[in-house]
Amino acid sequence: MSVIDTDSIDAIGLEKQARRVFLSIIDALAWDDQNVHLYTLQEKINTYLFFIESGELIKALPDAEGFDIAIELILKHMPSEEAVSFFDKTSQILLDKGIVFVFGPNKETGYAEQQS
């Protein structure tokens, strides 16, 4: 699965000790000037949000009942400035719904070089 499969969940992980469920998006796309990548990512995040809000998450993983929820975006390429701005807005929207949004890796752990 990957970000281009906008109608599916890429991966689900449960951290029982921390009482948190992670819904991961695997994103290997390069960033583009036309923002096709951002629109694709937005569709994918909306799919995840529907999965959570509709109760499908708990149906699929009953052990997650009462756990905190995080959407984790695993990027291959360092995000563009527009992407980081989008992530900031997305993070606030999701946080208002009680969902944590994280992305990475970070600059220290590295990204693949952006293909131009």
Side-chain angles (χ1 to χ4, degrees):
M1 303 287 176
S2 76
V3 70
I4 60 173
D5 300 313
T6 58
D7 293 333
S8 63
I9 304 300
D10 296 346
I12 301 175
L14 190 64
E15 231 179 73
K16 287 190 177 185
Q17 187 109 6
R19 298 190 51 79
R20 176 169 283 176
V21 98
F22 285 91
L23 301 173
S24 300
I25 299 172
I26 313 301
D27 188 343
L29 295 180
W31 299 98
D32 60 289
D33 293 337
Q34 294 78 30
N35 291 322
V36 173
H37 185 170
L38 278 178
Y39 294 125
T40 302
L41 183 57
Q42 184 174 1
E43 285 183 43
K44 185 74 165 190
I45 292 170
N46 286 338
T47 295
Y48 277 50
L49 191 54
F50 178 79
F51 183 72
I52 295 163
E53 292 181 333
S54 69
E56 289 298 314
L57 170 62
I58 301 306
K59 286 180 189 171
L61 192 63
D63 289 349
E65 181 79 47
F67 280 31
D68 291 334
I69 300 171
I71 295 176
E72 173 186 44
L73 176 60
I74 303 167
L75 298 165
K76 179 176 181 181
H77 300 283
M78 184 176 294
S80 64
E81 287 182 30
E82 285 178 307
V84 171
S85 176
F86 171 78
F87 297 163
D88 288 343
K89 291 174 189 166
T90 299
S91 181
Q92 189 56 54
I93 290 167
L94 292 175
L95 197 55
D96 289 346
K97 296 176 177 287
I99 301 167
V100 174
F101 180 72
V102 295
F103 68 94
N106 60 43
K107 291 179 183 177
E108 287 75 38
T109 57
Y111 291 94
E113 290 297 316
Q114 175 74 34
Q115 301 285 328
S116 296

